Amino acid sequence: MSADDKRIYLFDTTLRDGAQTRGVDFSVRDKTTIAEALDALGIDYIEGGWPGANPTDDAFFEAPPALKTAKFTAFGMTRRPGRSAENDPGLTAILTTKARTVCMVGKTWDFHVDIALETTLEENIAMIADSVALATRRLDEVMFDAEHFFDGYKADRGFALDCLRAAFDAGARWVVLCDTNGGTLPDDVHRIVSDVAQHIPGTHLGIHAHNDTENAVANSLAAVEAGVRQVQGTINGLGERCGNANLISLIPTLALKTDYDIGISPAQMERLTSVSHMLDELLNRSPNRSQAYVGEGAFSHKGGLHVSAVQKDPRTYEHMDPVLVGNRRHVVVSDQAGRSNILARLADAGIEIGADNPKIGRLVEDVKAREHDGYAYDGAEASFELLARKLLLGLPRFFTMDSFRVETERRYNARGSLTTVSTAMTKLDVAGKSYLEAGEGNGPVDALDDAMRKALLLAYPELADMRLTDYKVRILTPQEGTAAVTRVMIESTDDSGLRWSTVGISPNIIEASYEALRDAIYWKLLRHADSDRADGRPADGRPTDGR
């Protein structure tokens, strides 16, 4: 078998299938953040959504992310019955975006053709062929998503195969076999895919599995063994009903447990845990502790014989080195747990320090203690970098908050409408000068930010283009009611396109918000100071070990 035959292409549908998860509602900014993380991970195709289906997807496709290697893909349907491909508005919408790759779905189950489309089997096949042919003439790459294929194959094998051949003969680069109901078992997937591969080359076949029987990953692997060379899925298995095939499990399984090539380098593989946790943080969810490969419990060992054995040789109770996927071993009695992971994160932040530096051990323990308290540094890389720099290298004292007061007033305005106004008063020491400023905003955090900026911009005009783009709150101890500990995550950006995330925790939501806001401002100032040093100019601020 040639190297090309061993290449598996990864197709991520998080931004569309994942958005169908109950309780998930991606913003355009969320979609951009996720797409860029998937691109850095090494995913081959990133499905951005369905242009024309909703305003969010329309806005996202109007200004798509600048991907470095992944192919940005639009999703949509084949033409409708009774219309030509050239005159179908829905098809036109997906062929006229900035995406040069498209994945279009069509029926392959005769039952659905009769009930849902209310047309003939012959017209359905023509719909597929016409739509793929038009898309092939206009775009760089076209895929056909064979909806309900396994059910269709079982009901009428000949018709289901005719649908696939119509797409392939019309120019589809990939023909994707969908287990849309998620009810097919691995043995049947292997048997059916093996038959399909006799009619369409496996190098042009894909698998799209749903997880309704908890077999989506197994079905995807069975399909690969039977010949398919594209695997579709979502990060953390998001998706409607019980979800889709989980790429967080499939990626390391294919890369580390088989001889297939998935096009992801070892360095990219180490991003897997952070990408998984990043998505959870964007969705304001707690990561699945028991998730394979990346969960906190995946390589966790409690006291007893297991710990003793693992300390002698990790292979006794670990199927692989957790560092390969960016995770770490959790052993209570080991002061080395997490060192390699911290060193990797320091390298990502551009902090060069020897692995034998005694401060590394202190940083490891500090991070572990803070994460136990509720900090989440996987989704707040900027706060982690500041914490590390403070301990290892020291930080400039850009400013010190001497005190602040925030008030929120709910009242009726002169027009008799109910309104809420927040005000803040801050006393800041900025580069050795004291400033007392007041601010107003549509909420307490906005007001606090406004007051701080009035003082900080006088000394640091580089903050003028900094903007807060997202603000998320999670209650960490709900059993404590209104006295619960709160975690606040803030995402910021500037005109250069940089985005960074910070975290704060406190029983007081305003204090937690201030901590995250302070880190966001500090990180921006630190980046500017580093740039000044690179240009040979003195950095702002005065050296210190604290803030």
Side-chain angles (χ1 to χ4, degrees):
M1 184 176 288
S2 69
D4 288 342
D5 290 337
K6 302 297 288 185
R7 176 68 159 92
I8 306 297
Y9 293 85
L10 301 173
F11 187 111
D12 181 89
T13 69
T14 302
L15 302 182
R16 182 186 63 83
D17 272 324
Q20 298 181 53
T21 309
R22 184 176 180 180
V24 171
D25 186 16
F26 293 129
S27 67
V28 174
R29 175 62 65 188
D30 290 338
K31 281 177 169 272
T32 300
T33 299
I34 295 166
E36 290 175 347
L38 294 171
D39 186 41
L41 183 60
I43 300 296
D44 296 294
Y45 298 89
I46 299 172
E47 190 176 77
W50 191 327
N54 59 72
T56 299
D57 282 357
D58 289 345
F60 186 50
F61 276 87
E62 183 63 30
L67 304 180
K68 295 180 179 179
T69 58
K71 295 181 179 180
F72 186 57
T73 306
F75 180 86
M77 290 180 62
T78 58
R79 71 166 175 84
R80 289 176 288 179
R83 282 184 176 269
S84 68
E86 291 82 358
N87 294 312
D88 187 285
L91 184 57
T92 299
I94 68 172
L95 300 184
T96 54
T97 73
K98 296 178 181 178
R100 298 298 303 164
T101 303
V102 68
C103 181
M104 57 179 65
V105 64
K107 305 294 186 184
T108 56
W109 186 5
D110 58 355
F111 171 72
H112 265 243
V113 174
D114 293 337
I115 300 300
L117 297 182
E118 297 181 339
T119 191
T120 65
L121 302 186
E122 292 75 19
E123 171 67 358
N124 184 75
I125 292 173
M127 289 159 55
I128 295 170
D130 295 347
S131 302
V132 172
L134 178 63
T136 301
R137 292 195 297 270
R138 294 189 178 181
L139 300 177
D140 297 337
E141 192 168 334
V142 180
M143 296 169 231
F144 174 65
D145 225 33
E147 188 178 32
H148 290 284
F149 174 75
F150 292 93
D151 296 298
Y153 179 97
K154 294 173 185 177
D156 187 335
R157 173 181 175 275
F159 170 69
L161 289 175
D162 285 345
C163 291
L164 301 187
R165 277 191 289 259
F168 183 65
D169 292 344
R173 167 64 182 91
W174 294 102
V175 176
V176 184
L177 311 179
C178 301
D179 184 28
T180 310
N181 286 340
T184 311
L185 299 182
D187 284 349
D188 278 343
V189 169
H190 190 278
R191 173 179 60 83
I192 293 171
V193 172
S194 297
D195 180 30
V196 173
Q198 302 301 311
H199 303 270
I200 296 175
T203 51
H204 290 269
L205 290 176
I207 182 70
H208 181 112
H210 284 250
N211 202 36
D212 296 72
T213 62
E214 200 67 36
N215 278 292
V217 169
N219 283 342
S220 300
L221 294 172
V224 168
E225 285 299 301
V228 309
R229 290 298 177 261
Q230 186 198 91
V231 174
Q232 297 195 0
T234 62
I235 300 301
N236 295 340
L238 290 182
E240 63 181 336
R241 302 188 311 276
C242 301
N244 287 50
N246 188 351
L247 287 182
I248 294 297
S249 298
L250 280 167
I251 287 172
T253 297
L254 289 167
L256 305 175
K257 305 292 187 179
T258 75
D259 61 350
Y260 293 108
D261 172 22
I262 62 170
I264 291 181
S265 70
Q268 289 172 315
M269 186 72 67
E270 292 177 7
R271 296 175 177 264
L272 203 64
T273 297
S274 63
V275 169
S276 171
H277 291 181
M278 174 273 297
L279 181 60
D280 284 326
E281 289 301 330
L282 280 177
L283 298 176
N284 213 18
R285 294 180 167 190
S286 297
N288 179 2
R289 188 181 183 279
S290 300
Q291 184 165 196
Y293 293 102
V294 302
E296 183 183 352
F299 301 95
S300 181
H301 307 281
K302 206 170 181 180
L305 295 176
H306 285 207
V307 170
S308 177
V310 167
Q311 287 181 318
K312 293 177 182 177
D313 190 333
R315 293 174 297 178
T316 53
Y317 287 101
E318 292 179 356
H319 64 96
M320 55 163 283
D321 185 349
V323 173
L324 296 177
V325 293
N327 205 346
R328 62 187 176 95
R329 183 175 303 118
H330 295 266
V331 181
V332 175
V333 297
S334 172
D335 63 359
Q336 297 300 306
R339 177 179 289 265
S340 59
N341 194 37
I342 291 293
L343 288 170
R345 293 165 78 174
L346 291 175
D348 287 342
I351 301 174
E352 297 181 5
I353 193 165
D356 57 350
N357 190 306
K359 291 184 177 180
I360 295 295
R362 289 172 53 195
L363 179 59
V364 170
E365 295 306 316
D366 198 3
V367 169
K368 288 166 62 177
R370 285 171 168 265
E371 290 188 340
H372 175 75
D373 291 338
Y375 287 92
Y377 290 114
D378 282 307
E381 294 82 3
S383 284
F384 169 76
E385 181 181 339
L386 292 175
L387 176 68
R389 286 182 179 272
K390 177 182 177 181
L391 180 62
L392 303 176
L393 307 172
L395 285 173
R397 186 186 291 119
F398 293 114
F399 65 89
T400 301
M401 177 68 78
D402 293 330
S403 65
F404 68 79
R405 183 175 72 246
V406 179
E407 296 179 348
T408 297
E409 181 184 7
R410 183 175 182 269
R411 57 180 170 80
Y412 288 93
N413 60 22
R415 297 178 180 178
S417 300
L418 189 63
T419 185
T420 303
V421 177
S422 293
T423 57
M425 183 74 71
T426 61
K427 185 178 181 182
L428 285 167
D429 182 299
V430 183
K433 296 182 179 180
S434 183
Y435 296 88
L436 183 65
E437 298 288 349
E440 188 174 86
N442 57 15
V445 180
D446 189 34
L448 184 60
D449 181 47
D450 183 51
M452 292 177 66
R453 296 289 188 98
K454 289 179 179 178
L456 292 171
L457 283 171
L458 297 174
Y460 307 117
E462 60 269 26
L463 292 176
D465 68 340
M466 177 182 163
R467 302 178 299 279
L468 274 60
T469 58
D470 204 359
Y471 175 85
K472 288 185 172 71
V473 177
R474 180 181 298 164
I475 303 302
L476 301 180
T477 55
Q479 68 275 10
E480 296 182 20
T482 55
V485 174
T486 300
R487 179 165 73 209
V488 169
M489 304 284 291
I490 287 178
E491 182 181 276
S492 305
T493 188
D494 61 19
D495 288 348
S496 72
L498 277 175
R499 285 200 304 276
W500 60 100
S501 296
T502 51
V503 61
I505 71 165
S506 173
N508 186 303
I509 189 172
I510 303 302
E511 174 62 25
S513 300
Y514 165 71
E515 187 178 347
L517 178 61
R518 178 202 63 197
D519 277 8
I521 295 171
Y522 239 82
W523 191 87
K524 166 74 171 176
L525 292 174
L526 188 65
R527 275 290 177 273
H528 184 78
D530 287 344
S531 175
D532 280 352
R533 281 192 289 269
D535 292 340
R537 299 194 301 269
D540 295 322
R542 295 170 288 147
T544 182
D545 288 327
R547 281 179 278 163

